[in-house]
Amino acid sequence: MARLRHYVTGIALVFATFGTAPQPARAAVSLFAPAPGADAFEQWWRGITIGGHIDGGITANPARPDNGINFGNFIGDHANQAQLNQFDLNVIRPVDPDARGYSFGFTLEANYGSDSRYYHLLGISDQAFNARYQIIPAQAHVDAHLPWFTKRGVEMQAGILQAPMGPEAFDPNARPFYTFSYTGEYSVPFEHVGMMATIHVTPMIDVLTGIDTGNQTTFGRNDNNAEPAGYAGINLNNLAHGKLTITELSRFGPEDSRYALGARQANGAMRFWNDLLATYHVSDTLTLMGEFNYLHDNGLRADAESVVTYLSWHFAKNLTFNYRGEIYRDNTGLLVSSFLSDEAYMRGIAGTTPAPAESAPPTTYGALTLGVTWRKPLTEKAGYFAIRPEIRFDRSLNGTSPFNDGRNTGMFTFGGDMMLGF
Protein backbone atom coordinates (compact mmCIF):
# COMPACT_ATOMS: atom_id res chain seq x y z
CA MET A 1 0.00 0.00 0.00
CA ALA A 2 2.87 2.38 0.76
CA ARG A 3 4.23 1.92 -2.71
CA LEU A 4 0.79 2.45 -4.25
CA ARG A 5 0.47 5.72 -2.36
CA HIS A 6 3.83 6.81 -3.78
CA TYR A 7 2.61 6.21 -7.33
CA VAL A 8 -0.78 7.86 -6.80
CA THR A 9 0.86 10.92 -5.25
CA GLY A 10 3.42 11.05 -8.04
CA ILE A 11 0.77 10.80 -10.74
CA ALA A 12 -1.14 13.68 -9.18
CA LEU A 13 2.03 15.79 -9.16
CA VAL A 14 2.72 14.89 -12.77
CA PHE A 15 -0.67 16.16 -13.89
CA ALA A 16 0.18 19.41 -12.13
CA THR A 17 3.70 19.84 -13.59
CA PHE A 18 4.55 17.49 -16.43
CA GLY A 19 7.42 17.44 -19.02
CA THR A 20 9.37 15.46 -21.58
CA ALA A 21 11.74 15.96 -24.48
CA PRO A 22 10.36 15.87 -28.02
CA GLN A 23 10.63 12.64 -29.99
CA PRO A 24 12.92 12.63 -33.04
CA ALA A 25 11.33 12.98 -36.45
CA ARG A 26 10.92 9.73 -38.34
CA ALA A 27 10.57 8.72 -41.96
CA ALA A 28 6.93 7.75 -42.27
CA VAL A 29 4.10 7.61 -44.75
CA SER A 30 0.39 7.99 -44.18
CA LEU A 31 -1.58 4.78 -44.07
CA PHE A 32 -4.61 6.50 -45.54
CA ALA A 33 -5.09 9.35 -47.99
CA PRO A 34 -6.86 12.43 -46.55
CA ALA A 35 -10.51 12.77 -47.40
CA PRO A 36 -12.09 16.22 -47.90
CA GLY A 37 -15.10 16.75 -45.71
CA ALA A 38 -14.36 13.79 -43.42
CA ASP A 39 -15.66 13.98 -39.87
CA ALA A 40 -13.26 14.49 -36.92
CA PHE A 41 -12.83 10.79 -36.13
CA GLU A 42 -12.18 9.88 -39.76
CA GLN A 43 -9.60 12.67 -40.06
CA TRP A 44 -7.93 11.43 -36.87
CA TRP A 45 -7.81 7.87 -38.23
CA ARG A 46 -6.36 9.05 -41.53
CA GLY A 47 -3.52 10.79 -39.67
CA ILE A 48 -1.91 7.45 -38.73
CA THR A 49 1.52 6.86 -40.33
CA ILE A 50 3.75 3.82 -40.62
CA GLY A 51 7.53 3.86 -40.93
CA GLY A 52 10.74 2.26 -39.82
CA HIS A 53 14.42 1.77 -40.49
CA ILE A 54 17.17 -0.83 -40.86
CA ASP A 55 20.60 -0.12 -39.37
CA GLY A 56 23.73 -2.27 -39.48
CA GLY A 57 27.37 -1.55 -38.76
CA ILE A 58 30.80 -2.62 -37.57
CA THR A 59 33.45 -1.28 -35.19
CA ALA A 60 36.88 -2.51 -36.24
CA ASN A 61 39.71 -2.69 -33.71
CA PRO A 62 43.24 -3.35 -35.07
CA ALA A 63 44.43 -4.42 -31.59
CA ARG A 64 42.09 -7.45 -31.67
CA PRO A 65 41.26 -7.70 -27.93
CA ASP A 66 41.49 -11.25 -26.57
CA ASN A 67 37.88 -11.23 -25.35
CA GLY A 68 36.61 -9.75 -28.63
CA ILE A 69 35.04 -6.73 -26.89
CA ASN A 70 35.64 -3.04 -27.51
CA PHE A 71 35.74 -1.78 -23.92
CA GLY A 72 33.31 1.01 -23.11
CA ASN A 73 31.05 0.36 -26.12
CA PHE A 74 27.50 -0.98 -26.10
CA ILE A 75 26.37 -0.49 -29.72
CA GLY A 76 29.70 -1.47 -31.31
CA ASP A 77 30.79 -3.82 -28.54
CA HIS A 78 31.94 -6.81 -30.67
CA ALA A 79 35.29 -5.98 -32.27
CA ASN A 80 35.67 -6.64 -36.00
CA GLN A 81 32.20 -8.16 -36.38
CA ALA A 82 29.46 -6.75 -38.59
CA GLN A 83 26.01 -6.90 -37.05
CA LEU A 84 22.39 -5.97 -37.62
CA ASN A 85 21.88 -3.24 -35.05
CA GLN A 86 18.22 -2.44 -35.63
CA PHE A 87 15.25 -3.51 -37.70
CA ASP A 88 12.57 -1.10 -36.57
CA LEU A 89 8.86 -0.68 -37.33
CA ASN A 90 6.63 2.06 -35.94
CA VAL A 91 3.01 3.14 -36.20
CA ILE A 92 2.36 6.71 -35.09
CA ARG A 93 -0.61 9.02 -34.83
CA PRO A 94 1.04 12.37 -33.94
CA VAL A 95 -0.69 15.01 -31.88
CA ASP A 96 -1.01 18.59 -33.05
CA PRO A 97 1.15 20.69 -30.67
CA ASP A 98 -0.43 23.89 -32.02
CA ALA A 99 -4.01 22.76 -31.41
CA ARG A 100 -6.17 25.21 -29.48
CA GLY A 101 -8.11 22.37 -27.88
CA TYR A 102 -7.46 18.69 -27.24
CA SER A 103 -5.41 16.51 -29.58
CA PHE A 104 -4.72 12.79 -29.02
CA GLY A 105 -2.40 10.26 -30.62
CA PHE A 106 -0.18 7.29 -29.95
CA THR A 107 3.23 5.77 -30.74
CA LEU A 108 3.94 2.05 -31.19
CA GLU A 109 7.48 0.94 -32.05
CA ALA A 110 9.07 -2.53 -32.14
CA ASN A 111 12.80 -3.07 -32.60
CA TYR A 112 14.85 -6.20 -33.38
CA GLY A 113 18.64 -6.39 -33.44
CA SER A 114 21.82 -6.29 -31.39
CA ASP A 115 21.07 -2.83 -29.92
CA SER A 116 17.96 -4.20 -28.22
CA ARG A 117 20.12 -6.10 -25.69
CA TYR A 118 20.65 -2.81 -23.85
CA TYR A 119 17.13 -1.33 -24.04
CA HIS A 120 14.97 -4.01 -22.43
CA LEU A 121 12.41 -3.51 -19.69
CA LEU A 122 12.49 -6.02 -16.83
CA GLY A 123 9.50 -8.34 -17.02
CA ILE A 124 8.47 -7.35 -20.55
CA SER A 125 11.19 -8.37 -23.00
CA ASP A 126 14.37 -9.23 -21.09
CA GLN A 127 13.67 -12.99 -21.04
CA ALA A 128 12.40 -13.35 -24.61
CA PHE A 129 15.78 -14.09 -26.27
CA ASN A 130 19.29 -14.97 -25.10
CA ALA A 131 21.11 -14.44 -28.43
CA ARG A 132 22.86 -11.35 -29.77
CA TYR A 133 19.76 -10.32 -31.74
CA GLN A 134 16.83 -9.56 -29.47
CA ILE A 135 13.46 -7.80 -29.68
CA ILE A 136 11.95 -5.01 -27.60
CA PRO A 137 8.93 -2.72 -27.52
CA ALA A 138 11.00 0.43 -28.05
CA GLN A 139 7.97 2.66 -27.48
CA ALA A 140 4.29 2.12 -26.72
CA HIS A 141 2.56 5.20 -25.38
CA VAL A 142 -0.54 7.34 -25.69
CA ASP A 143 0.06 11.01 -26.44
CA ALA A 144 -2.01 14.12 -25.83
CA HIS A 145 -1.95 17.86 -26.28
CA LEU A 146 -4.05 19.33 -23.49
CA PRO A 147 -5.21 22.98 -23.22
CA TRP A 148 -4.36 23.08 -19.50
CA PHE A 149 -2.55 25.52 -17.18
CA THR A 150 -1.23 27.91 -19.87
CA LYS A 151 -2.35 29.33 -23.21
CA ARG A 152 0.15 27.06 -25.00
CA GLY A 153 -0.99 23.92 -23.19
CA VAL A 154 0.70 20.68 -22.18
CA GLU A 155 2.19 17.76 -24.17
CA MET A 156 1.76 14.45 -22.29
CA GLN A 157 2.84 10.86 -22.88
CA ALA A 158 2.09 7.70 -20.86
CA GLY A 159 3.29 4.13 -21.37
CA ILE A 160 6.65 2.72 -22.50
CA LEU A 161 8.84 5.74 -23.16
CA GLN A 162 12.34 6.43 -24.40
CA ALA A 163 14.27 8.32 -21.73
CA PRO A 164 14.50 12.03 -22.63
CA MET A 165 17.92 12.88 -21.14
CA GLY A 166 20.92 13.68 -23.33
CA PRO A 167 21.35 14.31 -27.09
CA GLU A 168 22.15 10.72 -28.19
CA ALA A 169 18.96 8.83 -29.00
CA PHE A 170 18.22 5.12 -29.50
CA ASP A 171 17.07 5.95 -33.05
CA PRO A 172 20.34 6.01 -35.06
CA ASN A 173 18.93 8.67 -37.39
CA ALA A 174 18.57 11.04 -34.42
CA ARG A 175 22.21 10.97 -33.27
CA PRO A 176 25.42 12.03 -35.06
CA PHE A 177 27.50 8.83 -34.69
CA TYR A 178 27.17 5.06 -34.81
CA THR A 179 28.86 4.68 -31.40
CA PHE A 180 27.74 6.42 -28.20
CA SER A 181 29.66 8.67 -25.84
CA TYR A 182 30.50 7.40 -22.35
CA THR A 183 27.95 9.88 -21.04
CA GLY A 184 25.27 8.50 -23.36
CA GLU A 185 25.91 4.95 -22.13
CA TYR A 186 26.67 5.26 -18.42
CA SER A 187 25.25 8.56 -17.16
CA VAL A 188 21.77 8.78 -18.70
CA PRO A 189 18.81 6.35 -18.43
CA PHE A 190 17.51 4.39 -21.45
CA GLU A 191 13.82 3.46 -21.17
CA HIS A 192 10.88 3.81 -18.77
CA VAL A 193 7.36 2.78 -17.93
CA GLY A 194 5.63 5.93 -16.74
CA MET A 195 4.35 9.35 -17.71
CA MET A 196 6.13 12.45 -18.98
CA ALA A 197 5.12 15.81 -20.42
CA THR A 198 6.03 19.38 -21.31
CA ILE A 199 4.24 22.45 -19.98
CA HIS A 200 4.62 25.29 -22.49
CA VAL A 201 4.76 28.21 -20.08
CA THR A 202 5.80 30.81 -22.66
CA PRO A 203 7.32 30.66 -26.15
CA MET A 204 10.70 30.74 -24.37
CA ILE A 205 10.10 28.50 -21.32
CA ASP A 206 9.00 24.87 -21.09
CA VAL A 207 8.75 23.06 -17.74
CA LEU A 208 9.77 19.39 -17.87
CA THR A 209 8.79 16.69 -15.40
CA GLY A 210 7.67 13.05 -15.15
CA ILE A 211 7.33 9.92 -13.03
CA ASP A 212 8.16 6.26 -13.75
CA THR A 213 9.02 2.93 -12.15
CA GLY A 214 12.77 3.38 -12.66
CA ASN A 215 15.36 2.97 -15.38
CA GLN A 216 14.40 -0.13 -17.44
CA THR A 217 12.13 -1.59 -14.76
CA THR A 218 8.39 -2.20 -14.56
CA PHE A 219 6.19 -3.30 -11.61
CA GLY A 220 6.22 -5.80 -8.74
CA ARG A 221 9.06 -8.29 -8.87
CA ASN A 222 10.18 -6.70 -12.13
CA ASP A 223 11.07 -3.47 -10.37
CA ASN A 224 14.52 -3.89 -8.83
CA ASN A 225 13.40 -1.81 -5.85
CA ALA A 226 10.06 -0.69 -4.46
CA GLU A 227 10.20 3.04 -5.19
CA PRO A 228 9.41 5.24 -8.21
CA ALA A 229 11.72 7.81 -9.79
CA GLY A 230 11.10 10.97 -11.75
CA TYR A 231 12.29 13.97 -13.76
CA ALA A 232 12.26 17.73 -13.33
CA GLY A 233 13.80 20.34 -15.58
CA ILE A 234 13.44 23.35 -17.81
CA ASN A 235 13.85 24.08 -21.50
CA LEU A 236 14.80 27.57 -22.68
CA ASN A 237 13.95 28.14 -26.35
CA ASN A 238 14.65 30.86 -28.91
CA LEU A 239 17.57 32.46 -27.07
CA ALA A 240 20.15 34.57 -28.93
CA HIS A 241 17.68 35.55 -31.66
CA GLY A 242 16.40 32.01 -32.02
CA LYS A 243 19.82 30.35 -32.38
CA LEU A 244 20.30 28.97 -28.85
CA THR A 245 18.40 26.33 -26.86
CA ILE A 246 19.35 25.28 -23.31
CA THR A 247 17.89 22.23 -21.56
CA GLU A 248 18.52 21.31 -17.93
CA LEU A 249 17.05 17.98 -16.90
CA SER A 250 17.48 16.24 -13.55
CA ARG A 251 16.38 12.79 -12.48
CA PHE A 252 16.11 11.44 -8.94
CA GLY A 253 15.03 8.23 -7.25
CA PRO A 254 16.40 4.83 -6.15
CA GLU A 255 17.82 2.77 -9.03
CA ASP A 256 19.86 0.00 -7.33
CA SER A 257 18.68 -3.58 -6.94
CA ARG A 258 17.33 -4.93 -3.66
CA TYR A 259 19.00 -8.23 -4.52
CA ALA A 260 22.39 -6.54 -4.49
CA LEU A 261 21.97 -4.06 -1.60
CA GLY A 262 19.03 -5.43 0.41
CA ALA A 263 15.53 -4.05 0.22
CA ARG A 264 15.87 -1.33 2.85
CA GLN A 265 19.07 0.15 1.46
CA ALA A 266 17.98 -0.16 -2.20
CA ASN A 267 14.66 1.58 -1.51
CA GLY A 268 16.32 4.47 0.28
CA ALA A 269 19.52 4.94 -1.73
CA MET A 270 18.94 7.80 -4.14
CA ARG A 271 20.56 8.23 -7.53
CA PHE A 272 20.82 11.76 -8.90
CA TRP A 273 21.28 12.29 -12.65
CA ASN A 274 21.85 15.84 -13.90
CA ASP A 275 22.31 16.87 -17.53
CA LEU A 276 22.77 20.34 -19.01
CA LEU A 277 22.69 20.65 -22.81
CA ALA A 278 23.19 23.79 -24.91
CA THR A 279 22.61 23.81 -28.69
CA TYR A 280 23.71 26.78 -30.79
CA HIS A 281 22.89 27.08 -34.50
CA VAL A 282 25.71 29.24 -35.81
CA SER A 283 24.21 29.13 -39.30
CA ASP A 284 21.98 26.96 -41.45
CA THR A 285 24.93 24.60 -41.99
CA LEU A 286 26.86 24.74 -38.68
CA THR A 287 25.62 23.61 -35.25
CA LEU A 288 27.52 23.44 -31.94
CA MET A 289 26.45 21.53 -28.82
CA GLY A 290 27.88 21.26 -25.32
CA GLU A 291 26.79 18.83 -22.62
CA PHE A 292 27.70 18.71 -18.92
CA ASN A 293 26.59 15.71 -16.88
CA TYR A 294 26.91 14.75 -13.23
CA LEU A 295 25.68 11.48 -11.68
CA HIS A 296 25.80 10.39 -8.04
CA ASP A 297 24.55 7.11 -6.57
CA ASN A 298 24.22 6.84 -2.80
CA GLY A 299 23.79 3.06 -2.82
CA LEU A 300 26.89 2.31 -4.87
CA ARG A 301 28.77 5.28 -3.41
CA ALA A 302 29.68 6.12 -6.97
CA ASP A 303 29.73 9.27 -9.02
CA ALA A 304 30.82 10.51 -12.43
CA GLU A 305 31.11 13.83 -14.17
CA SER A 306 31.64 14.55 -17.85
CA VAL A 307 31.82 17.20 -20.53
CA VAL A 308 30.93 16.43 -24.16
CA THR A 309 31.25 18.82 -27.11
CA TYR A 310 29.74 18.34 -30.57
CA LEU A 311 30.08 20.04 -33.95
CA SER A 312 27.95 19.33 -37.02
CA TRP A 313 28.83 20.96 -40.35
CA HIS A 314 26.65 20.36 -43.41
CA PHE A 315 29.43 21.24 -45.86
CA ALA A 316 27.96 19.88 -49.11
CA LYS A 317 24.75 18.46 -50.51
CA ASN A 318 23.90 15.24 -48.63
CA LEU A 319 27.21 15.41 -46.66
CA THR A 320 27.69 16.35 -42.99
CA PHE A 321 30.92 16.36 -40.98
CA ASN A 322 30.54 15.47 -37.28
CA TYR A 323 32.92 15.91 -34.34
CA ARG A 324 32.55 14.73 -30.75
CA GLY A 325 35.04 15.27 -27.94
CA GLU A 326 34.50 13.97 -24.41
CA ILE A 327 36.17 13.83 -21.01
CA TYR A 328 34.45 11.40 -18.63
CA ARG A 329 35.56 10.75 -15.05
CA ASP A 330 34.40 7.51 -13.34
CA ASN A 331 35.50 8.28 -9.79
CA THR A 332 35.06 4.77 -8.39
CA GLY A 333 35.31 2.47 -11.41
CA LEU A 334 31.81 1.14 -10.73
CA LEU A 335 30.02 2.73 -13.70
CA VAL A 336 32.02 2.09 -16.88
CA SER A 337 31.83 -1.62 -17.74
CA SER A 338 31.64 -3.87 -20.78
CA PHE A 339 29.21 -6.77 -20.59
CA LEU A 340 30.58 -10.08 -21.85
CA SER A 341 27.40 -11.98 -22.65
CA ASP A 342 24.20 -11.09 -24.47
CA GLU A 343 22.12 -11.14 -21.26
CA ALA A 344 24.69 -9.62 -18.92
CA TYR A 345 23.54 -5.99 -19.07
CA MET A 346 19.95 -6.73 -18.05
CA ARG A 347 21.15 -9.20 -15.40
CA GLY A 348 23.14 -6.29 -13.99
CA ILE A 349 20.02 -4.08 -13.96
CA ALA A 350 17.99 -6.79 -12.20
CA GLY A 351 20.80 -7.66 -9.78
CA THR A 352 19.48 -11.21 -9.39
CA THR A 353 22.54 -13.11 -10.63
CA PRO A 354 26.16 -12.12 -11.26
CA ALA A 355 26.60 -10.49 -14.66
CA PRO A 356 29.81 -11.36 -16.54
CA ALA A 357 31.40 -7.95 -17.11
CA GLU A 358 34.75 -6.28 -17.56
CA SER A 359 35.44 -3.14 -15.52
CA ALA A 360 38.34 -0.83 -14.74
CA PRO A 361 39.74 1.06 -11.75
CA PRO A 362 38.82 4.73 -11.30
CA THR A 363 39.62 6.30 -14.66
CA THR A 364 39.38 9.58 -16.50
CA TYR A 365 38.44 8.75 -20.09
CA GLY A 366 39.16 10.95 -23.07
CA ALA A 367 37.43 10.20 -26.37
CA LEU A 368 37.56 11.87 -29.79
CA THR A 369 35.19 10.78 -32.57
CA LEU A 370 35.20 12.09 -36.14
CA GLY A 371 32.79 11.09 -38.90
CA VAL A 372 31.01 12.00 -42.09
CA THR A 373 27.37 11.25 -42.86
CA TRP A 374 26.19 10.85 -46.43
CA ARG A 375 22.40 10.95 -46.36
CA LYS A 376 20.12 10.96 -49.40
CA PRO A 377 16.31 11.09 -49.42
CA LEU A 378 14.62 8.23 -51.25
CA THR A 379 11.53 10.23 -52.20
CA GLU A 380 10.34 13.79 -51.68
CA LYS A 381 7.96 12.72 -48.90
CA ALA A 382 9.62 9.83 -47.04
CA GLY A 383 12.56 7.51 -46.80
CA TYR A 384 16.34 7.94 -46.72
CA PHE A 385 19.59 6.04 -47.21
CA ALA A 386 22.65 6.96 -45.16
CA ILE A 387 26.26 5.83 -44.81
CA ARG A 388 28.07 6.99 -41.68
CA PRO A 389 31.81 6.12 -41.37
CA GLU A 390 33.66 7.17 -38.22
CA ILE A 391 37.06 6.95 -36.54
CA ARG A 392 37.45 7.05 -32.78
CA PHE A 393 40.30 7.46 -30.30
CA ASP A 394 39.79 6.49 -26.64
CA ARG A 395 42.43 6.93 -23.96
CA SER A 396 42.84 6.74 -20.20
CA LEU A 397 44.05 10.14 -19.05
CA ASN A 398 45.27 8.96 -15.64
CA GLY A 399 47.43 5.97 -16.63
CA THR A 400 45.06 3.02 -16.15
CA SER A 401 44.80 0.27 -18.81
CA PRO A 402 41.11 -0.47 -19.39
CA PHE A 403 41.25 -1.17 -23.13
CA ASN A 404 41.80 -4.25 -25.28
CA ASP A 405 41.21 -6.75 -22.51
CA GLY A 406 43.26 -4.72 -20.01
CA ARG A 407 46.39 -4.49 -22.19
CA ASN A 408 46.40 -0.82 -23.24
CA THR A 409 45.86 2.72 -22.01
CA GLY A 410 44.30 3.65 -25.35
CA MET A 411 42.12 2.20 -28.11
CA PHE A 412 41.74 3.11 -31.78
CA THR A 413 38.61 1.95 -33.62
CA PHE A 414 37.06 2.70 -36.99
CA GLY A 415 33.95 1.64 -38.81
CA GLY A 416 30.42 2.97 -38.95
CA ASP A 417 26.99 1.96 -40.14
CA MET A 418 24.48 2.09 -42.99
CA MET A 419 20.83 3.07 -42.52
CA LEU A 420 17.76 2.65 -44.65
CA GLY A 421 14.66 4.55 -43.56
CA PHE A 422 11.21 3.98 -44.95
Side-chain angles (χ1 to χ4, degrees), residues 228-251:
Y231 288 94
I234 190 169
N235 199 62
L236 302 178
N237 309 291
N238 302 313
L239 304 176
H241 304 288
K243 293 186 175 182
L244 177 64
T245 300
I246 297 176
T247 301
E248 193 288 322
L249 192 58
S250 295
R251 176 173 173 80

Side-chain angles (χ1 to χ4, degrees), residues 263-284:
R264 182 174 181 180
Q265 185 176 357
N267 292 339
M270 297 286 287
R271 180 179 297 182
F272 301 93
W273 330 53
N274 303 278
D275 193 84
L276 179 65
L277 178 67
T279 303
Y280 185 74
H281 297 283
V282 179
S283 66
D284 292 340

Side-chain angles (χ1 to χ4, degrees), residues 17-22 162-167 187-189 192 196-198 206-212 230-236 246-252 272-278 291-295:
T17 54
F18 224 128
T20 191
Q162 291 288 310
M165 185 177 286
S187 288
V188 300
H192 303 303
M196 301 178 187
T198 301
D206 295 329
V207 174
L208 314 172
T209 183
I211 187 170
D212 55 73
Y231 288 94
I234 190 169
N235 199 62
L236 302 178
I246 297 176
T247 301
E248 193 288 322
L249 192 58
S250 295
R251 176 173 173 80
F252 38 86
F272 301 93
W273 330 53
N274 303 278
D275 193 84
L276 179 65
L277 178 67
E291 180 183 18
F292 173 75
N293 186 286
Y294 174 71
L295 180 150

Side-chain angles (χ1 to χ4, degrees), residues 170-244:
F170 176 67
D171 183 349
N173 189 47
R175 62 177 192 265
F177 294 100
Y178 174 52
T179 60
F180 277 73
S181 65
Y182 290 92
T183 304
E185 292 180 325
Y186 301 105
S187 288
V188 300
F190 284 175
E191 195 163 8
H192 303 303
V193 173
M195 295 191 295
M196 301 178 187
T198 301
I199 299 179
H200 302 297
V201 180
T202 70
M204 181 180 292
I205 301 173
D206 295 329
V207 174
L208 314 172
T209 183
I211 187 170
D212 55 73
T213 59
N215 180 40
Q216 298 182 261
T217 66
T218 54
F219 296 95
R221 293 185 301 172
N222 296 307
D223 189 351
N224 58 8
N225 57 64
E227 298 296 334
Y231 288 94
I234 190 169
N235 199 62
L236 302 178
N237 309 291
N238 302 313
L239 304 176
H241 304 288
K243 293 186 175 182
L244 177 64

Side-chain angles (χ1 to χ4, degrees), residues 106-126:
F106 65 87
T107 300
L108 299 174
E109 180 182 2
N111 193 283
Y112 172 81
S114 60
D115 292 0
S116 295
R117 293 169 297 161
Y118 296 100
Y119 282 81
H120 284 293
L121 291 165
L122 292 177
I124 292 182
S125 57
D126 59 308

Side-chain angles (χ1 to χ4, degrees), residues 273-315:
W273 330 53
N274 303 278
D275 193 84
L276 179 65
L277 178 67
T279 303
Y280 185 74
H281 297 283
V282 179
S283 66
D284 292 340
T285 59
L286 181 63
T287 300
L288 305 177
M289 287 196 298
E291 180 183 18
F292 173 75
N293 186 286
Y294 174 71
L295 180 150
H296 176 76
D297 190 295
N298 286 332
L300 299 177
R301 297 183 179 179
D303 56 6
E305 53 267 351
S306 62
V307 175
V308 196
T309 56
Y310 300 84
L311 179 148
S312 179
W313 175 34
H314 187 65
F315 65 94

